[in-house]
Amino acid sequence: MRFFSDNAAAAHPKVIEAIERSNRLDTAYDGDEWTRRLDASFSELFERKVRALWVTSGTAANSLALAALCPSYGAIVCHKDAHIENDEAGAPAFFTGGAKLMLVDGPGAKVTPQTVAAACDRIRPDVHQVQPKALSITNATEYGLAYRAAEVGALGELAKSHGLGFHMDGARFANALVTTGDSPADVTWRAGVDALSFVFVKNGGLSAEALILFRTELADEVAVRRKRAGQLLCKGRMLAAQLLAMLDNNLWLENGRAANAAAQTLAQAAPRRLVYPVEANEVFLRVSPEEAARLRSLGFDFYDWAPGEIRLVTSWDQGGEPVERLAAAIAAL
Amino acid sequence: MRFFSDNAAAAHPKVIEAIERSNRLDTAYDGDEWTRRLDASFSELFERKVRALWVTSGTAANSLALAALCPSYGAIVCHKDAHIENDEAGAPAFFTGGAKLMLVDGPGAKVTPQTVAAACDRIRPDVHQVQPKALSITNATEYGLAYRAAEVGALGELAKSHGLGFHMDGARFANALVTTGDSPADVTWRAGVDALSFVFVKNGGLSAEALILFRTELADEVAVRRKRAGQLLCKGRMLAAQLLAMLDNNLWLENGRAANAAAQTLAQAAPRRLVYPVEANEVFLRVSPEEAARLRSLGFDFYDWAPGEIRLVTSWDQGGEPVERLAAAIAAL
Amino acid sequence: MRFFSDNAAAAHPKVIEAIERSNRLDTAYDGDEWTRRLDASFSELFERKVRALWVTSGTAANSLALAALCPSYGAIVCHKDAHIENDEAGAPAFFTGGAKLMLVDGPGAKVTPQTVAAACDRIRPDVHQVQPKALSITNATEYGLAYRAAEVGALGELAKSHGLGFHMDGARFANALVTTGDSPADVTWRAGVDALSFVFVKNGGLSAEALILFRTELADEVAVRRKRAGQLLCKGRMLAAQLLAMLDNNLWLENGRAANAAAQTLAQAAPRRLVYPVEANEVFLRVSPEEAARLRSLGFDFYDWAPGEIRLVTSWDQGGEPVERLAAAIAAL
Amino acid sequence: MRFFSDNAAAAHPKVIEAIERSNRLDTAYDGDEWTRRLDASFSELFERKVRALWVTSGTAANSLALAALCPSYGAIVCHKDAHIENDEAGAPAFFTGGAKLMLVDGPGAKVTPQTVAAACDRIRPDVHQVQPKALSITNATEYGLAYRAAEVGALGELAKSHGLGFHMDGARFANALVTTGDSPADVTWRAGVDALSFVFVKNGGLSAEALILFRTELADEVAVRRKRAGQLLCKGRMLAAQLLAMLDNNLWLENGRAANAAAQTLAQAAPRRLVYPVEANEVFLRVSPEEAARLRSLGFDFYDWAPGEIRLVTSWDQGGEPVERLAAAIAAL
């Protein structure tokens, strides 16, 4: 029973079915009937005209967005615990042509207007220092905290006043929205977000993520960069079909709810052990090495996150018995 | 009835089944049981130890190979009609950090020791001119010509003597081998090839290509570059499973044979119209605009390749009636 | 007596004096009193507001201009014999982050609206092919031909209609203007040029070239890129002082006239041997290997440019006896 | 009386004379007689065979060295206050193609084996995290501290054991050696340093820095990268002549001694105000805003470095009266 990460779970059956249905001759690359429906489908979800491009990984979505928002000689403000800083092999520097990540700190990997402003204000406005040109936040954060629309809006205003492009890594976008109840529009473009990595693979998708551009004028450039990065697949219809299946009947929200519910089950088993509030599908618990060993001896796998701290991540398909058993085991520690 | 390109065909049912079977929890990225079988499976095929990495496009395979073989300040010798020059949006320059493509000419998009040597010899060995560091050929070529093992071997010797890394874009590797009868080993590493983009998506695959490294010491670097390019998918098992399905019982060769047979049917319908010998699954025909219009009026779609010249590409699944009807229509022009 | 290249000649005494005079404490980088006079001085010369930045080489000037005019994923149209293609070690690809040079042909290394339009029209407007985004011409060309203002204007119109940024490598700008009699303004911004590499080192300067931006809004970005390329020297006043000395009393034109006059002396010694009209300070002559050997035996050094063809380049300081002697030797062949 | 920075001082008269003497026709670029003497001259100084290349800025020297020592996908460990991190506009990322700076902390901008080891050990050895590949230290540090040979040696051993290339930014190399008494060899290659940015412009040079490669096999690649960066000047003899003038009779050490002596005069005026020991030509003093204003009212200019802290930098030509007056003014605060 693995609680390492949601990125390793099985894909939802409807996603697999969608791939099968799309498996017939159509125009190559992004000229097929499924891909041609993406802009309209995501525009409906976001209550405005957007451009939506499939890519095959969150790293690609993040990096393509950042390359469109930040010049090679600029800096991207992000949290020091951000995925783009720690877990993407320097992809943002590769895609942008050398842009710098300018790190801010803060509890729970949350970025605030105060920390961003402080980071920007430390930079002299001259040619010797790399100037901040973009802001990237992760929602839910790497520690499972969800941004409220108002929080994003405050960051959006700061980004605007400082001339920063604003990117949201929606690594666990569904999980965050399920918790906050905000609409997709309220937490993104209405709050000033320019581009969203709308991640589905952690949430029941198989191999398709969506890069949503609210600044639609960036789409042509991003499409070129996508091709240039080897991300324009021949049979792109297979990716588009996955995304459409996830949007259909709000499967993405349903899956997010399931994963969040499982996380809540775990959280409620030991509320006093929680390192952070559980607002998505990640649960960070204070447990001793001996306690961690006990859980493992019962067949549960997970990451040791920090000394005396473990991370449990639940998936859309992990409800029911395994979670109940883990919850019971935690409660019994 | 579309004869635009093999890259748009459906995937083979066994590939889809393999995806379904791999759709269950396993280690993320490339730690799963399918991916762990790749090196051994391809090593068996190539009769020596190789490293095999999945990627999601031929462009990614080509560019990653070239980035490993050519420094940012070097040049890659290739044919002026090569896919990497004309159809990959500058991806080799992006992945290498600015390497230059040094173009040679020659009929049928074939590269020869003579044209490569001449191109290299034109370059003064100083710091002002970009020095050639790699050679890339496409097999079968962009005009459907297959390299014999001896031809590749002659290029391999030249590459070695000139200090060039040697890459083969196996865009239609199966189609070429079906025609020449050469073994995978003979036409690659035994002939001096360092890295092969082993393309499956044009040949019945869905979304997985293999980058085969005969210089196995490059694999660790390439794995980092793959991640950095957003090509390390969370559920990589789905890609590995496709490749294994294609290798199983030599499905890749079976599919190649089917596509080639369809091309031969078309070729034999009008041997005097052929622009090039048909050695793979591409047929270039001399037809007048009026004749092309006639074919289109009968429901056949294809590219006008040059004035008075059309390109027909057959796929693994295009045997039988549609091809017979097109052959008859061509014969009747 | 060396006629290899004007880039190796001594600097003019007034340039050396200017360096000496500027050798005192002032603000570092580009904050000194000499640098602060550059914009105004060049604006006066060009009869409009321009931004002028010193750099230390023509390669740096060219590449910085191109990086400002062409995105990493675009192409720069230039002649196949252009210096940026053949003699700058791939610097344009390095500075732009991987942009491609799209080559045109034509006699005397001259670019024409027809060849540029043909090159652009060959590119399909899709994401698979690198799209042209800039045009670069060399004035005088690599074969010593000068562009007339009307010729540049026709290229400028084409550039505008095709959305291409327009760069002029003024490697021998003085020599060209001396011949055509055009004003600096007429042959640049009035003809649609966006950025000019105004080269002084071949013309009596020591180590300072000027990058002139007619699209002044690009200057801030270029200043950052200059720093990032290690081209922002601590004691920039020494570079600015050189440029001001060259502008003073039109020393640059005086030097250009001297070099051109020397070239005319050589040209008139053997008008029927000329490969190209002599419109600058380069003379390409048809001479047999034996004749070339004879000239060398008399103490003259030069490049063998092509079989049966030599290149002679004159410098600002090469008037008088040596040139007369070479002219006589050529006439006597 | 400016104490902002040594980078703005006048060049030494012997450097200017050397430029004048080199101002005559010779082979262009790096083929001239002065440049050809560099390797031997620096080899003598360093007591072993080295390769020495001139460049026009410390930023270029640093970035070229780092590009040779660190791949695009690697990280360079350096202090968070390092010049390459804060004051070079991201040049290392530009020259390397996107390498990351991995920051360590520590008093006085000094790097220690402990902080480097801790930084490296935090990185998981997988493809998701950027792996450290090089180490860069500044000597003297940005706060004027000199590394002893033994300190560098300990870092060199760590670099070797961790597979890190080792670069020293010798921004104030002369100043450091004057203080420690170490030989150039002992503090560099004998201590494991692979490449040294040997900076002269802050120390009486005009526009030439030397990049010293102890791993001589890197020189050919670096020479190409230098050209590609627009740093290969036509009249390179002018740069080589400066370096030779600085080496001649150890002018570089003489200048370093003069600047250090001036700094000592200032330091001794207020030993209890010193933020750091004064081991080079930089003096950081604790002074209140009112005290700083008093010094400025007396005609002294300098940077406010931090709240309640000012930075004074002395130059090779700043001995004698101005320094005595500033020392007296400080003592009188």
Side-chain angles (χ1 to χ4, degrees):
Chain A
M1 288 161 293
R2 295 167 65 92
F3 291 84
F4 278 120
S5 179
D6 39 3
N7 68 9
H12 194 280
K14 288 186 179 171
V15 166
I16 301 292
E17 286 164 25
I19 291 174
E20 289 168 29
R21 275 198 309 274
S22 75
N23 186 33
R24 55 175 173 79
L25 179 68
D26 197 339
T27 304
Y29 303 112
D30 58 353
D32 62 277
E33 67 161 273
W34 290 270
T35 301
R36 277 182 281 120
R37 286 164 48 198
L38 286 186
D39 284 353
S41 295
F42 280 98
S43 293
E44 190 185 337
L45 181 68
F46 283 99
E47 306 173 46
R48 60 158 284 173
K49 170 76 182 157
V50 305
R51 292 289 303 274
L53 289 90
W54 41 253
V55 291
T56 66
S57 68
T59 295
N62 289 341
S63 295
L64 287 169
L66 293 171
L69 295 175
C70 183
S72 60
Y73 50 84
I76 300 154
V77 183
C78 68
H79 196 278
K80 74 175 177 56
D81 294 331
H83 201 263
I84 59 172
E85 161 69 5
N86 293 305
D87 293 289
E88 300 194 348
F94 175 51
F95 279 74
T96 57
K100 180 178 182 164
L101 300 187
M102 187 179 294
L103 306 179
V104 301
D105 206 342
K110 265 222 177 160
V111 171
T112 68
Q114 290 69 36
T115 56
V116 176
C120 292
D121 292 350
R122 269 194 301 274
I123 301 298
R124 303 182 310 266
D126 64 26
V127 302
H128 301 269
Q129 297 209 299
V130 182
Q131 301 298 309
K133 297 288 183 184
L135 169 64
S136 180
I137 65 172
T138 310
N139 194 19
T141 74
E142 286 72 11
Y143 292 106
L145 301 184
Y147 283 93
R148 271 69 188 169
E151 291 175 292
V152 181
L155 287 164
E157 280 183 30
L158 185 79
K160 195 172 178 185
S161 71
H162 281 63
L164 308 178
F166 191 3
H167 166 249
M168 179 182 284
D169 174 0
R172 293 183 177 90
F173 190 66
N175 308 96
L177 291 200
V178 162
T179 293
T180 64
D182 289 323
S183 76
D186 283 350
V187 81
T188 58
W189 65 270
R190 283 202 191 108
V193 172
D194 296 313
L196 167 71
S197 300
F198 195 155
V199 169
F200 289 96
V201 172
K202 290 181 194 293
N203 190 33
L206 182 60
S207 59
E209 312 290 17
L211 173 51
I212 308 298
L213 298 165
F214 303 109
R215 288 179 51 195
T216 54
E217 76 278 11
L218 298 176
D220 288 349
E221 173 187 334
V222 172
V224 171
R225 290 185 184 273
R226 175 175 66 171
K227 170 64 191 175
R228 189 169 164 87
Q231 288 277 341
L232 185 67
L233 272 60
C234 288
K235 302 177 185 176
R237 56 190 178 269
M238 177 266 298
L239 298 171
Q242 293 182 49
L243 300 179
L244 294 170
M246 290 294 287
L247 293 188
D248 201 32
N249 288 318
N250 286 320
L251 177 59
W252 66 287
L253 282 173
E254 183 183 313
N255 286 355
R257 265 190 294 270
N260 282 17
Q264 287 302 329
T265 300
L266 300 179
Q268 286 154 18
R272 288 194 301 199
R273 292 178 180 269
L274 292 176
V275 184
Y276 303 104
V278 175
E279 301 181 349
N281 60 328
E282 296 184 295
V283 183
F284 291 80
L285 294 179
R286 288 183 207 91
V287 303
S288 68
E290 296 72 28
E291 292 169 328
R294 183 137 22 117
L295 293 176
R296 288 199 171 95
S297 73
L298 295 168
F300 301 103
D301 274 335
F302 44 82
Y303 276 114
D304 291 319
W305 200 255
E309 195 176 318
I310 65 169
R311 187 186 82 165
L312 305 169
V313 187
T314 56
S315 304
W316 67 273
D317 62 349
Q318 273 184 320
E321 203 206 328
V323 167
E324 298 292 346
R325 282 170 51 198
L326 176 54
I330 291 168
L333 286 176
Chain B
M1 287 160 293
R2 296 166 64 95
F3 291 84
F4 278 121
S5 178
D6 39 3
N7 68 10
H12 193 281
K14 289 186 178 170
V15 166
I16 300 294
E17 286 164 26
I19 292 174
E20 289 168 29
R21 275 199 309 273
S22 75
N23 186 34
R24 54 178 174 77
L25 179 68
D26 196 338
T27 305
Y29 304 113
D30 57 354
D32 61 278
E33 64 159 274
W34 291 270
T35 300
R36 278 183 280 119
R37 286 164 48 198
L38 285 186
D39 284 352
S41 295
F42 280 97
S43 294
E44 189 185 338
L45 181 67
F46 283 98
E47 306 172 44
R48 61 159 284 172
K49 170 78 182 154
V50 305
R51 291 290 304 274
L53 290 90
W54 41 253
V55 291
T56 66
S57 68
T59 295
N62 289 340
S63 295
L64 287 169
L66 293 172
L69 295 176
C70 183
S72 61
Y73 51 82
I76 300 153
V77 183
C78 68
H79 196 278
K80 74 176 179 53
D81 294 331
H83 201 263
I84 60 173
E85 160 70 5
N86 293 306
D87 293 288
E88 299 192 349
F94 175 51
F95 279 74
T96 58
K100 180 179 181 165
L101 300 187
M102 188 178 297
L103 306 180
V104 301
D105 205 342
K110 266 218 175 162
V111 171
T112 68
Q114 290 71 36
T115 55
V116 175
C120 291
D121 292 350
R122 268 195 300 274
I123 301 298
R124 300 183 312 266
D126 65 26
V127 302
H128 302 270
Q129 297 208 299
V130 182
Q131 302 298 309
K133 296 287 183 185
L135 168 65
S136 181
I137 65 172
T138 311
N139 194 20
T141 74
E142 285 73 12
Y143 292 106
L145 301 185
Y147 283 91
R148 271 68 190 171
E151 291 176 293
V152 181
L155 287 164
E157 282 183 27
L158 184 79
K160 195 172 177 186
S161 70
H162 281 65
L164 308 178
F166 191 4
H167 166 249
M168 180 182 282
D169 174 1
R172 292 181 178 93
F173 191 65
N175 309 97
L177 290 199
V178 162
T179 293
T180 64
D182 289 324
S183 75
D186 282 349
V187 80
T188 58
W189 65 271
R190 285 203 191 108
V193 171
D194 297 313
L196 168 71
S197 301
F198 196 155
V199 168
F200 289 97
V201 172
K202 290 180 194 294
N203 191 32
L206 183 59
S207 60
E209 313 290 17
L211 175 50
I212 308 298
L213 298 166
F214 303 109
R215 288 179 52 194
T216 53
E217 75 278 12
L218 298 176
D220 288 348
E221 172 188 332
V222 172
V224 171
R225 290 185 183 272
R226 175 174 67 172
K227 170 64 190 176
R228 189 168 164 86
Q231 288 277 341
L232 185 67
L233 272 61
C234 288
K235 303 177 185 175
R237 55 190 181 270
M238 177 266 298
L239 298 171
Q242 293 182 50
L243 299 179
L244 294 171
M246 290 294 288
L247 292 187
D248 200 31
N249 287 316
N250 286 319
L251 177 59
W252 66 289
L253 282 173
E254 183 185 312
N255 285 355
R257 264 190 294 271
N260 281 18
Q264 287 301 329
T265 300
L266 299 179
Q268 286 154 18
R272 290 195 300 199
R273 290 178 182 271
L274 292 176
V275 184
Y276 303 103
V278 174
E279 300 181 350
N281 61 328
E282 295 183 295
V283 183
F284 292 81
L285 294 178
R286 289 182 206 93
V287 302
S288 67
E290 295 73 28
E291 292 170 328
R294 185 133 24 114
L295 294 175
R296 287 197 172 97
S297 73
L298 295 169
F300 301 103
D301 274 336
F302 46 82
Y303 276 115
D304 292 318
W305 199 255
E309 197 176 318
I310 65 170
R311 187 186 81 164
L312 305 169
V313 188
T314 57
S315 304
W316 67 273
D317 62 348
Q318 273 182 321
E321 201 205 330
V323 166
E324 299 291 346
R325 280 169 51 197
L326 176 53
I330 291 168
L333 285 176
Chain C
M1 289 160 291
R2 295 167 64 96
F3 291 84
F4 278 121
S5 179
D6 39 2
N7 68 9
H12 194 280
K14 289 186 178 169
V15 166
I16 300 293
E17 287 165 26
I19 291 173
E20 289 168 30
R21 276 198 308 274
S22 75
N23 187 33
R24 54 178 175 75
L25 179 69
D26 196 339
T27 306
Y29 303 112
D30 57 355
D32 61 277
E33 66 159 273
W34 290 270
T35 301
R36 278 183 280 118
R37 286 163 49 199
L38 285 186
D39 283 353
S41 295
F42 280 96
S43 293
E44 189 185 338
L45 181 67
F46 283 99
E47 307 172 44
R48 59 159 285 171
K49 171 77 182 155
V50 305
R51 292 289 303 275
L53 290 90
W54 42 253
V55 290
T56 66
S57 67
T59 296
N62 289 340
S63 295
L64 287 169
L66 293 172
L69 295 176
C70 183
S72 61
Y73 52 82
I76 299 153
V77 183
C78 69
H79 197 278
K80 75 177 178 54
D81 294 332
H83 201 263
I84 58 173
E85 161 69 5
N86 292 306
D87 293 288
E88 300 192 349
F94 175 51
F95 279 74
T96 57
K100 179 178 183 166
L101 300 187
M102 187 179 296
L103 306 179
V104 301
D105 205 342
K110 264 219 175 160
V111 171
T112 67
Q114 290 70 37
T115 55
V116 176
C120 291
D121 292 350
R122 268 195 299 275
I123 302 299
R124 301 183 311 267
D126 64 27
V127 301
H128 302 269
Q129 298 209 300
V130 182
Q131 301 298 309
K133 295 289 183 184
L135 169 65
S136 180
I137 66 173
T138 312
N139 193 22
T141 73
E142 284 73 10
Y143 292 106
L145 301 184
Y147 284 91
R148 272 68 191 171
E151 291 175 291
V152 181
L155 287 164
E157 282 183 27
L158 185 78
K160 196 171 176 186
S161 70
H162 281 65
L164 308 178
F166 191 4
H167 166 249
M168 180 182 283
D169 174 359
R172 294 182 177 92
F173 191 65
N175 308 97
L177 291 198
V178 162
T179 294
T180 64
D182 289 324
S183 75
D186 283 350
V187 80
T188 57
W189 65 272
R190 284 202 190 107
V193 171
D194 296 313
L196 169 71
S197 301
F198 196 155
V199 169
F200 289 96
V201 172
K202 291 180 194 292
N203 191 32
L206 183 59
S207 59
E209 314 290 16
L211 174 51
I212 310 297
L213 298 166
F214 303 109
R215 288 179 50 193
T216 53
E217 76 277 13
L218 298 176
D220 288 348
E221 173 187 333
V222 171
V224 172
R225 290 185 183 272
R226 176 175 66 171
K227 170 65 189 174
R228 189 168 164 86
Q231 287 279 340
L232 185 67
L233 272 61
C234 288
K235 303 178 184 174
R237 55 191 180 269
M238 177 266 298
L239 298 171
Q242 293 183 49
L243 299 179
L244 294 170
M246 289 293 288
L247 292 187
D248 201 30
N249 287 317
N250 286 321
L251 177 58
W252 66 288
L253 281 173
E254 184 184 313
N255 285 356
R257 264 190 294 270
N260 282 17
Q264 287 302 329
T265 300
L266 300 179
Q268 285 154 18
R272 288 193 301 199
R273 290 180 182 270
L274 293 176
V275 184
Y276 304 103
V278 174
E279 300 182 349
N281 60 330
E282 295 183 295
V283 182
F284 292 81
L285 294 179
R286 289 182 206 93
V287 301
S288 67
E290 296 72 29
E291 292 169 329
R294 185 136 21 118
L295 294 176
R296 287 197 172 97
S297 73
L298 295 168
F300 301 103
D301 274 336
F302 45 83
Y303 277 115
D304 292 317
W305 200 254
E309 197 177 317
I310 64 169
R311 188 186 82 164
L312 305 168
V313 187
T314 57
S315 303
W316 68 273
D317 63 348
Q318 273 183 319
E321 204 206 327
V323 166
E324 298 292 346
R325 280 171 51 197
L326 176 53
I330 291 168
L333 285 177
Chain D
M1 287 161 293
R2 297 165 65 92
F3 291 84
F4 278 121
S5 179
D6 39 4
N7 68 9
H12 194 281
K14 289 185 179 170
V15 166
I16 301 293
E17 286 164 26
I19 292 174
E20 289 168 29
R21 275 199 308 275
S22 75
N23 186 33
R24 54 177 173 78
L25 180 68
D26 197 339
T27 304
Y29 303 113
D30 58 354
D32 62 276
E33 65 160 274
W34 290 269
T35 301
R36 277 181 282 121
R37 287 164 48 199
L38 286 186
D39 284 353
S41 296
F42 280 97
S43 294
E44 190 184 338
L45 181 67
F46 283 99
E47 305 172 47
R48 60 159 283 175
K49 170 77 182 155
V50 305
R51 292 288 304 273
L53 290 90
W54 42 253
V55 291
T56 66
S57 68
T59 296
N62 289 340
S63 295
L64 286 169
L66 294 172
L69 295 176
C70 183
S72 60
Y73 50 84
I76 299 154
V77 182
C78 68
H79 196 277
K80 75 176 178 54
D81 293 333
H83 201 262
I84 59 172
E85 161 69 5
N86 292 306
D87 293 289
E88 300 193 350
F94 175 51
F95 279 73
T96 56
K100 179 178 182 166
L101 300 186
M102 188 179 295
L103 306 179
V104 302
D105 205 343
K110 266 222 178 160
V111 171
T112 68
Q114 290 69 37
T115 56
V116 176
C120 292
D121 292 351
R122 268 195 301 273
I123 302 298
R124 302 183 309 266
D126 64 26
V127 300
H128 302 269
Q129 297 209 300
V130 182
Q131 301 298 309
K133 297 286 183 184
L135 168 65
S136 180
I137 66 172
T138 310
N139 193 22
T141 75
E142 286 72 12
Y143 291 106
L145 300 184
Y147 283 92
R148 271 70 188 169
E151 291 175 292
V152 180
L155 287 164
E157 280 183 30
L158 184 79
K160 196 172 177 185
S161 71
H162 281 64
L164 308 179
F166 190 4
H167 166 249
M168 179 182 284
D169 174 1
R172 293 182 177 91
F173 190 66
N175 309 96
L177 291 199
V178 162
T179 294
T180 63
D182 289 323
S183 75
D186 283 349
V187 81
T188 57
W189 64 272
R190 283 202 192 109
V193 171
D194 297 312
L196 168 70
S197 301
F198 195 155
V199 169
F200 289 96
V201 172
K202 290 180 194 295
N203 190 33
L206 183 59
S207 59
E209 312 291 16
L211 173 51
I212 309 298
L213 298 165
F214 303 109
R215 287 180 52 194
T216 54
E217 75 278 12
L218 298 176
D220 288 348
E221 173 187 333
V222 171
V224 171
R225 290 185 183 273
R226 175 175 67 170
K227 169 65 190 175
R228 189 168 163 89
Q231 288 278 340
L232 184 67
L233 272 60
C234 288
K235 302 176 184 174
R237 55 190 179 269
M238 177 266 297
L239 298 171
Q242 293 183 49
L243 299 179
L244 294 170
M246 290 294 287
L247 293 188
D248 201 31
N249 288 317
N250 286 321
L251 177 58
W252 67 287
L253 282 173
E254 183 184 314
N255 286 354
R257 265 189 294 269
N260 282 17
Q264 287 301 330
T265 301
L266 300 180
Q268 286 154 16
R272 289 194 300 198
R273 291 179 181 269
L274 293 175
V275 185
Y276 303 104
V278 175
E279 301 181 349
N281 60 329
E282 297 183 293
V283 183
F284 292 80
L285 294 179
R286 288 183 207 90
V287 303
S288 68
E290 297 71 29
E291 292 169 327
R294 182 134 25 115
L295 293 176
R296 287 199 171 95
S297 74
L298 295 169
F300 301 103
D301 274 335
F302 45 81
Y303 277 113
D304 292 319
W305 200 255
E309 195 176 318
I310 66 169
R311 187 186 81 164
L312 305 168
V313 187
T314 57
S315 304
W316 66 274
D317 62 349
Q318 272 184 321
E321 203 206 329
V323 167
E324 299 291 348
R325 283 170 50 198
L326 177 52
I330 291 167
L333 285 176

